[in-house]
Amino acid sequence: MNWIFYNTTADLSEAPEGIREFLSYIENETVDGDFTKLLDKKVKNARLNEDWRSITEAEARKMLHL
């Protein structure tokens, strides 16, 4: 497993456009382009799916040893 941490509040002026768009979405849920439109749609669908949410929450607790 690899962990990657992104600082969503950093100065993103030198970051590639795709990364800037993604981090802006993570920080503010701002939809700026095709990728974040698709991502936003998938996130909203996942939030509505109780089975997916319960599995995800259980996995998150397991990973965080809660």
Side-chain angles (χ1 to χ4, degrees):
M1 178 184 310
N2 294 314
W3 291 82
I4 299 173
F5 294 91
Y6 288 102
N7 183 353
T8 60
T9 59
D11 177 17
L12 302 175
S13 62
E14 294 185 29
E17 178 57 34
I19 296 294
R20 217 175 19 247
E21 182 182 338
F22 174 70
L23 295 177
S24 178
Y25 178 78
I26 296 299
E27 182 68 23
N28 308 312
E29 292 190 34
T30 303
V31 177
D32 287 330
D34 292 338
F35 174 72
T36 51
K37 284 179 189 173
L38 177 62
L39 179 61
D40 189 57
K41 182 179 177 181
K42 298 291 184 180
V43 166
K44 287 179 179 171
N45 284 337
R47 286 178 178 164
L48 295 174
N49 185 328
E50 287 295 322
D51 293 335
W52 185 90
R53 280 183 30 188
S54 65
I55 291 169
T56 304
E57 290 171 6
E59 288 298 313
R61 285 190 184 97
K62 186 177 177 181
M63 287 172 38
L64 296 172
H65 306 288
L66 298 176

